[in-house]
Structure formats: structure tokens, C-alpha cells
Amino acid sequence: MLDHLLFNRSKFYPIDDNTDLITADSQKFVKSYIGRKATVGAPVDCYETESDGMEYWYQDGQVNVGDTVTNQVIDKNNEIWLSVDNKLFLDSHPRPFFNLSDFLKQGGRLS
């Protein structure tokens, strides 16, 4: 989990509360969303993981209030993708993921 300050080679790196990903001294630090709950739900486009990356999944999904983030991945563009524990996500194989930025733009919120 990202803290408000990282210490590396006697340098301090200020981190905003809304920062998801930073690079400091060539090291990448990513905020973990696993275990966080949706406090506001939102519709999401779902993608499934394939060996060649993220591919569009034919159904739209819904993240509901109370859904818990169970999985997190980061793609080659440093975008964060999440999966939650609702029925749609748990019953699908391979597991679908949604883009965190898109979820937030649709009005969704995580605690």
C-alpha cells in the first residue's frame, strides 16, 4: 500500500491521497485496492484476461454497493483493472475485470 511519503536513498517523495501509481528511483509502487468495498455502484464494461492481454467481454457488468475487490491487475499502460465478488464476476471464467478509471468516471466509489 502506498504511504504518504516514501523514503529511498535519503529522498522524500510526496504522494497525493488520490495517487494510484508512482515511480520513484525507477521503482514502481502501486496502491492496492484488494479488500476495498464499493460505496457507490456503477455500470462497467467487463474485460477478460487472455494470454495476449485484456480483451473485450461481450456483456456489460455492474459493480454494486457492498461488492468487495478480490483481484487487481495492471496492464502494460499502467492502468489498474479490478474484479469484485458479485455473482457476475464470480461465476464467469475466465474472471472479468473492469478499468478502475472508467468505474470512477461512471460515478462509482470505493471505501
Side-chain angles (χ1 to χ4, degrees):
M1 185 178 260
L2 292 179
D3 202 342
H4 285 63
L5 293 174
L6 291 176
F7 183 73
N8 191 345
R9 294 186 187 177
S10 302
K11 296 178 185 175
F12 285 94
Y13 299 92
I15 302 169
D16 293 333
D17 285 339
N18 62 352
T19 301
D20 295 319
L21 174 82
I22 66 159
T23 302
D25 281 347
S26 301
Q27 293 182 340
K28 193 178 292 184
F29 299 90
V30 180
K31 181 187 289 185
S32 175
Y33 287 90
I34 295 174
R36 293 181 71 181
K37 290 188 179 293
T39 55
V40 177
V44 291
D45 288 329
C46 294
Y47 294 75
E48 60 186 22
T49 56
E50 297 289 343
S51 59
D52 59 350
M54 304 300 266
E55 290 195 14
Y56 184 73
W57 192 46
Y58 62 89
Q59 288 181 303
D60 290 332
Q62 174 72 34
V63 175
N64 303 306
V65 172
D67 288 350
T68 302
V69 176
T70 56
N71 290 281
Q72 173 178 327
V73 295
I74 298 161
D75 69 13
K76 62 184 176 185
N77 298 319
N78 291 327
E79 292 183 305
I80 296 172
W81 297 81
L82 305 175
S83 187
V84 293
D85 63 353
N86 74 29
K87 184 171 175 45
L88 170 70
F89 288 80
L90 292 176
D91 289 347
S92 299
H93 301 284
R95 178 180 293 275
F97 284 80
F98 60 91
N99 184 284
L100 173 62
S101 295
D102 292 342
F103 171 70
L104 297 174
K105 286 178 190 172
Q106 292 289 340
R109 296 285 175 261
L110 298 171
S111 63

